[in-house]
Amino acid sequence: MTAKKDTSPAEEIRALRDQLNDWSHRYYGLDDPSVPDAEYDRAFRRLEELEAEHPDLVTADSPTQRVGEPPLDAFDEVRHDVPMLSLGNAFDEQELRDFDQRVRERLDVGGPVAYVAEPKLDGLAVSLLYENGELARAATRGDGETGEDITINVRTIKSVRLKLLSDNPPARLEVRGEVVMPHDGLAWLNKRQEKAGQKTFANPRNAAAGSLRQLDSSITAQRPLEFYAYSVAQLDGEDWPDTHSEMLERVRDWGLPVNEEVKVRDGLDAMLSFYQDIMERRIDLGYDIDGVVYKVDRLDWQEELGFVSRAPRWAVAYKFPAQEQRTTLKAVEWQVGRTGALTPVAKLEPVEVGGVVVSNASLHNIDEIRRLGLEVGDRVDVYRAGDVIPKVVRRVPAPSRKPPPSMRRRLRKKIKPQVRLRLPPASKYIPVLPWQRRISLPAKCPVCRSDIIAEAGGVIQRCTGGLICGAQQREAIKHFASRRAMDIDGLGDKLVDALVDQGLIKTVADLYDLQAEDVAGLERMGEKSAANLIEALEASKDMPLSRFLFALGILQIGEETAKALAEAFGDLESIRRAPLLLFLQVPDVGSEVAKAIAAFFAEEHNEKVIDGLLAAGVTPRSNGAPSRRFVDTLTLANFLSSAKILGMPLSGVGTKTLETLGRHYRHLDALLKAVGDGEDDSGVKAGTLEKLAEGLKADGWRTELQKAQAYADALAAKAPAGAADERPLEGQTWVLTGTLARLTRDQAKQHLEALGAKVSGSVSSKTARVVAGESAGSKLDKARSLDVDVIDEEEFIGFLAEHGIKLDD
DNA sequence: AGCCCTCGAGTTCT
DNA sequence: CTCGAGGGCT
């Protein structure tokens, strides 16, 4: 596609320019990428090169000119030839009905009127003026009469054509539309802003506005903005069409993007169903919309209808119920989670956001509070996007932060508010008292008064109380009982709270001492439910080891890591006593996870709980022996490099060298002997052994390694002999999607894992195969786009049968 | 050193 | 479901 060698630079530049503009138009205007990005980039760079050599050949419509211009001091004012008006609003169905009625009465038509219905994009309205087909000026709406000249910024937006796609463009054309930032663009931008230590944007609208108001257009050039045209305000040099929809077609033909959701709809019912439909798909559109705009399609009718003061009588905006609401931050409570992590929760004046009443919102951590600049009593905006989780978006700047009248009186009289001298309630919450406006980190755990330590760069605060902490006790028990852990039916959050409050249980081990009569008296618990609970507890005594490990709630150990541990070691006792270095040999366990496991088993109270569980008759089901594959990885070389990862001082001794040493000596004893004798015949660089000797002396690493080696030797003796068992899917990652008819997702997963495959939730280039059930969605699309092998349920069942797995219906 | 993929953890309301 | 970060690969 690139121009040939023997053409002149001028020709090649023109060819490249046209080609790039065409691609760009297909990509941004028609949403039909016709070339890979790499090819676009290559052509783009070639054009840059040529233009650098021939500056005289650079034209204003060259794609290279979209990168911005030197910063301005301020924007010029622009007076709109035709004012940019606002729209009347309809807030419910009745108001839309009224609108349609008024239109038909004024026009005196009996039948349904055709309207252009379009999503109301939530961005920034701009006006683009084209003179003889070239973009001459771009302006913001401003107050409708006067806006700002943002031409240099708008020129950097790729979907805005700098030159109309026409041999015979109108002499003068003013197109109006909306500049928006798509959701993925915002996510990308915020990530980048964060990395650069710059402020992030709360929503796409702010981001779009902020980007367009940059005085330095090279910044705008790097912002993912899109433009959609929605009307024509001026047209000189050719005749107007009869309808608005035809006008939009023409705009499209000129190469300017018109939103693909814009449709003509006849009459009220069709208007309403358009609204319903787009509201349901709103999240999937990829950009924010805040309603629907309806415009009478026939232009002569528009003229006939005219205006009322500042709004056209022929158009109306039907807005969605607001998804952002303003309310008051009443208090911030610190919640203590299962792992001891302290999470601030905003207690809000209840407010309806997108159909549900929200009174709580997580503030995640103290950084978020500082970033938002929150104080108790502030007005805040709460947002609920496509997701369900409410979020405090921003503090509403208040004129002042004077204390409320009641408090001012108190302060004048210098009467200190009464502090109730009472121990904190045994719940996981403790409020920040209302007169404390500043939100600060608690110095001690609000529940158990233990010390708090900062983790992960100071963002996470963690209570050190462990099982001493009432909150962690409760949460640990709830986790233990949960469906994915021990699956104790009937032991829900409420019941756990009640049992702890009554002093009946403190740890999970106490659960198994419960008698039916203990429980029966409790709230909402009859004899029948009590008996059921005891039965459920009994049933939970027989659980796979992996679930049991997960249920213990060890930091960093989720379902997957628990499975890996159970599979590798084969029984609980081997895991409990294993030295740190052994954990590091388990797949997907690194230094952090290994330390967390070792720390858990080093705690005496954890040991007690485990012993209590075993004594009560809980018998984690396991295959009893370490897996062959795991034992095979317990090599001297691996121990040495793991020790280095954990901090054994071995500077100057690379991984390769450690591997060589490990392979040569095979057993730690042999290596230690060589170190002791100062004789080395492994062929590594001279001096390496001395460094190794140094490292072994430091911090008891010699002992650590010896413990690991001895443990490995013991495990090896227990492991089944011979090669790893039959695992045909070893190393493969599969993905399940859609609904399977003949087996559940969990069953399918277990079958696959039995064959050695990993089952993952998302498709990537590393996915070996996707099993697609009924109504498979985006994962299937992704699989197709990545060219990943896809089979349906029938093929999958056949595949299982080939590997000796039969389904019993 | 940097990127990609998973996994863990925390969360709201009906 | 989403965010963050651990782990492993290049």
Side-chain angles (χ1 to χ4, degrees):
Chain A
M1 202 89 48
T2 319
K4 289 191 197 74
K5 262 223 172 102
D6 50 359
T7 53
S8 76
E11 277 169 315
E12 190 179 349
I13 285 181
R14 195 158 50 82
L16 282 167
R17 196 168 57 213
D18 293 348
Q19 181 67 75
L20 285 165
N21 278 335
D22 177 55
W23 284 342
S24 176
H25 167 62
R26 278 171 200 276
Y27 190 89
Y28 291 100
L30 306 176
D31 203 25
D32 162 36
S34 49
V35 291
D37 290 353
E39 191 168 342
Y40 182 97
D41 290 343
R42 206 178 314 126
F44 191 90
R45 278 196 301 276
R46 174 70 185 142
L47 179 59
E48 275 184 328
E49 247 172 66
L50 283 170
E51 286 182 339
E53 283 166 32
H54 308 277
D56 49 314
L57 296 176
V58 180
T59 55
D61 69 334
S62 166
T64 59
Q65 297 307 297
R66 289 183 188 271
V67 289
E69 288 169 37
L72 299 175
D73 293 331
F75 296 110
D76 288 336
E77 279 195 355
V78 171
R79 212 176 157 73
H80 296 295
D81 300 327
V82 182
M84 291 180 85
L85 300 168
S86 47
L87 289 178
N89 285 309
F91 287 103
D92 57 33
E93 201 178 309
Q94 187 54 47
E95 290 183 12
L96 188 67
R97 200 178 294 275
D98 294 345
F99 165 79
D100 178 53
Q101 178 119 24
R102 277 199 307 275
V103 166
R104 281 186 295 134
E105 276 170 9
R106 276 201 166 250
L107 295 173
D108 200 18
V109 289
V113 170
Y115 295 91
V116 170
E118 59 184 47
K120 188 172 189 306
L121 304 179
D122 197 10
L124 237 77
V126 297
S127 140
L128 307 180
L129 186 66
Y130 287 88
E131 284 170 350
N132 298 315
E134 300 218 16
L135 179 64
R137 194 202 69 194
T140 62
R141 177 174 183 281
D143 63 4
E145 301 284 336
T146 312
E148 286 177 320
D149 187 333
I150 51 165
T151 313
I152 55 159
N153 286 339
V154 170
R155 288 179 69 90
T156 67
I157 301 173
K158 295 199 177 61
S159 48
V160 171
R161 289 195 70 84
L162 303 175
K163 196 169 184 173
L164 295 182
L165 202 63
S166 164
D167 296 333
N168 186 21
R172 187 178 172 84
L173 170 77
E174 185 188 346
V175 176
R176 289 177 180 172
E178 199 87 355
V179 171
V180 297
M181 186 176 292
H183 293 151
D184 53 359
L186 178 69
W188 173 85
L189 174 62
N190 272 345
K191 208 170 205 174
R192 213 186 55 166
Q193 291 284 104
E194 206 160 295
K195 264 191 191 160
Q198 299 190 319
K199 73 163 193 137
T200 55
F201 296 96
N203 61 49
R205 206 196 118 80
N206 286 356
S211 302
L212 274 187
R213 299 207 74 263
Q214 288 291 332
L215 289 170
D216 181 351
S217 59
S218 65
I219 296 177
T220 314
Q222 296 165 36
R223 298 286 169 83
L225 298 171
E226 307 254 337
F227 170 82
Y228 292 102
Y230 56 64
S231 78
V232 169
Q234 298 183 62
L235 178 65
D236 290 350
E238 63 181 72
D239 288 337
W240 286 79
D242 291 336
T243 63
H244 180 56
S245 49
E246 286 167 85
M247 189 73 247
L248 291 179
E249 261 325 302
R250 233 185 261 182
V251 169
R252 227 178 227 143
D253 290 343
W254 283 322
L256 285 168
V258 174
N259 192 286
E260 63 271 24
E261 303 290 343
V262 177
K263 298 280 153 59
V264 178
R265 288 289 179 266
D266 295 330
L268 190 71
D269 290 342
M271 292 162 85
L272 287 171
S273 67
F274 180 90
Y275 176 87
Q276 277 303 334
D277 170 62
I278 205 106
M279 183 153 65
E280 277 157 26
R281 292 189 296 115
R282 148 180 213 194
I283 296 146
D284 306 319
L285 292 178
Y287 41 80
D288 271 5
I289 63 175
D290 55 2
V292 172
V293 176
Y294 301 99
K295 294 170 185 160
V296 172
D297 196 21
R298 273 176 61 167
L299 295 180
D300 56 335
W301 282 357
Q302 286 191 4
E303 206 162 336
E304 195 179 329
L305 286 162
F307 298 84
V308 242
S309 66
R310 298 183 47 77
R313 265 199 283 263
W314 42 265
V316 71
Y318 186 6
K319 295 233 185 132
F320 296 137
Q323 53 171 358
E324 207 178 281
Q325 285 293 339
R326 196 153 286 189
T327 185
T328 306
L329 178 63
K330 292 196 303 186
V332 171
E333 290 181 349
W334 290 90
Q335 197 176 116
V336 183
R338 164 172 75 84
T339 63
L342 265 72
T343 312
V345 178
K347 308 304 281 186
L348 305 164
E349 192 61 48
V351 63
E352 185 170 320
V353 192
V356 294
V357 177
V358 170
S359 43
N360 298 321
S362 172
L363 293 168
H364 306 293
N365 54 54
I366 190 78
D367 267 18
E368 172 90 349
I369 294 174
R370 301 223 170 102
R371 199 173 58 74
L372 293 165
L374 288 184
E375 289 185 9
V376 171
D378 281 342
R379 294 291 281 168
V380 290
D381 286 336
V382 181
Y383 170 78
R384 240 175 56 114
D387 55 345
V388 206
I389 318 283
K391 196 176 151 60
V392 175
V393 191
R394 71 182 76 79
R395 181 176 84 87
V396 182
S400 77
R401 278 187 171 182
K402 279 187 196 144
S406 58
M407 243 196 78
R408 257 177 278 162
R409 240 174 287 126
R410 246 184 226 159
L411 290 173
R412 252 202 318 272
K413 290 185 191 163
K414 296 208 172 173
I415 296 172
K416 275 193 181 170
Q418 268 194 341
V419 182
R420 279 170 297 172
L421 286 174
R422 206 185 61 174
L423 281 175
S427 93
K428 60 178 185 171
Y429 300 115
I430 189 161
V432 168
L433 301 173
W435 55 80
Q436 299 173 329
R437 294 181 55 85
R438 283 277 318 269
I439 300 160
S440 51
L441 276 174
K444 301 272 180 183
C445 171
V447 177
C448 70
R449 305 267 119 206
S450 295
D451 285 338
I452 287 167
I453 51 165
E455 238 180 59
V459 180
I460 298 178
Q461 317 296 130
R462 218 182 275 281
C463 160
T464 55
L467 286 181
I468 315 288
C469 179
Q472 289 182 65
Q473 267 174 23
R474 281 157 207 269
E475 298 308 307
I477 297 168
K478 289 172 192 171
H479 172 72
F480 186 84
S482 67
R483 195 172 48 82
R484 309 195 77 92
M486 298 297 269
D487 192 21
I488 303 172
D489 213 21
L491 187 57
D493 289 7
K494 286 271 155 60
L495 185 54
V496 171
D497 282 334
L499 290 169
V500 176
D501 286 339
Q502 296 295 311
L504 288 167
I505 54 171
K506 270 206 162 100
T507 72
V508 292
D510 302 333
L511 282 171
Y512 294 93
D513 295 335
L514 285 174
Q515 304 297 319
E517 53 268 31
D518 295 339
V519 193
L522 295 172
E523 215 182 336
R524 298 247 237 113
M525 287 293 288
E527 276 179 24
K528 179 70 182 159
S529 348
N532 285 345
L533 175 65
I534 302 299
E535 201 175 307
L537 280 164
E538 207 52 43
S540 74
K541 287 181 177 173
D542 175 46
M543 273 289 156
L545 173 60
S546 58
R547 279 201 181 217
F548 178 81
L549 279 174
F550 172 58
L552 290 176
I554 305 167
L555 208 56
Q556 305 272 22
I557 307 302
E559 285 177 281
E560 295 301 322
T561 317
K563 261 187 217 159
L565 283 171
E567 213 262 336
F569 287 90
D571 69 82
L572 179 62
E573 288 310 309
S574 306
I575 298 172
R576 286 177 77 176
R577 298 196 317 268
L580 184 60
L581 274 178
L582 265 285
F583 294 126
L584 266 164
Q585 313 313 318
V586 177
D588 295 327
V589 173
S591 57
E592 294 299 313
V593 177
K595 281 182 204 160
I597 305 167
F600 180 88
F601 289 113
E603 287 285 349
E604 206 179 319
H605 53 252
N606 290 331
E607 290 285 286
K608 259 194 195 158
V609 170
I610 295 169
D611 286 336
L613 287 167
L614 297 179
V618 178
T619 22
R621 214 184 315 130
S622 68
N623 54 10
S627 81
R628 186 74 237 165
R629 279 180 311 136
F630 176 58
V631 170
D632 288 345
T633 63
L634 302 179
T635 61
L636 179 56
N638 283 341
F639 286 144
L640 287 172
S641 56
S642 297
K644 194 179 176 194
I645 290 171
L646 287 175
M648 176 172 172
L650 282 175
S651 56
V653 188
T655 320
K656 279 256 172 68
T657 315
L658 291 178
E659 262 170 40
T660 313
L661 282 171
R663 260 203 311 278
H664 182 78
Y665 291 104
R666 307 198 54 88
H667 200 277
L668 183 67
D669 294 347
L671 177 66
L672 291 177
K673 187 170 179 299
V675 172
D677 299 346
E679 278 173 27
D680 175 31
D681 54 353
S682 68
V684 299
K685 259 191 282 175
T688 298
L689 230 55
E690 283 160 38
K691 283 181 187 156
L692 198 62
E694 293 287 307
L696 286 168
K697 271 183 215 148
D699 299 326
W701 281 108
R702 184 193 186 94
T703 328
E704 276 307 314
L705 284 164
Q706 279 173 327
K707 272 196 282 181
Q709 181 70 70
Y711 209 84
D713 293 346
L715 282 182
K718 279 166 70 182
D725 30 356
E726 193 85 30
R727 291 166 68 88
L729 303 184
E730 191 67 60
Q732 294 186 15
T733 304
W734 287 50
V735 172
L736 302 168
T737 181
T739 318
L740 299 172
R742 288 193 52 201
L743 67 174
T744 67
R745 226 165 226 262
D746 255 9
Q747 288 169 334
K749 189 175 175 189
Q750 291 195 357
H751 289 317
L752 285 168
E753 282 171 352
L755 296 172
K758 275 194 168 188
V759 178
S760 145
S762 55
V763 179
S764 77
S765 55
K766 288 183 183 164
T767 307
R769 222 170 214 196
V770 172
V771 181
E774 266 315 294
S775 60
S778 62
K779 282 189 234 175
L780 181 56
D781 300 338
K782 179 125 189 238
R784 292 204 174 116
S785 74
L786 290 172
D787 219 17
V788 171
D789 194 16
V790 178
I791 59 172
D792 63 22
E793 180 168 2
E794 201 175 321
E795 291 170 299
F796 177 58
I797 290 168
F799 174 87
L800 290 179
E802 279 172 35
H803 290 86
I805 296 173
K806 290 244 167 61
L807 303 179
D808 35 29
D809 300 64

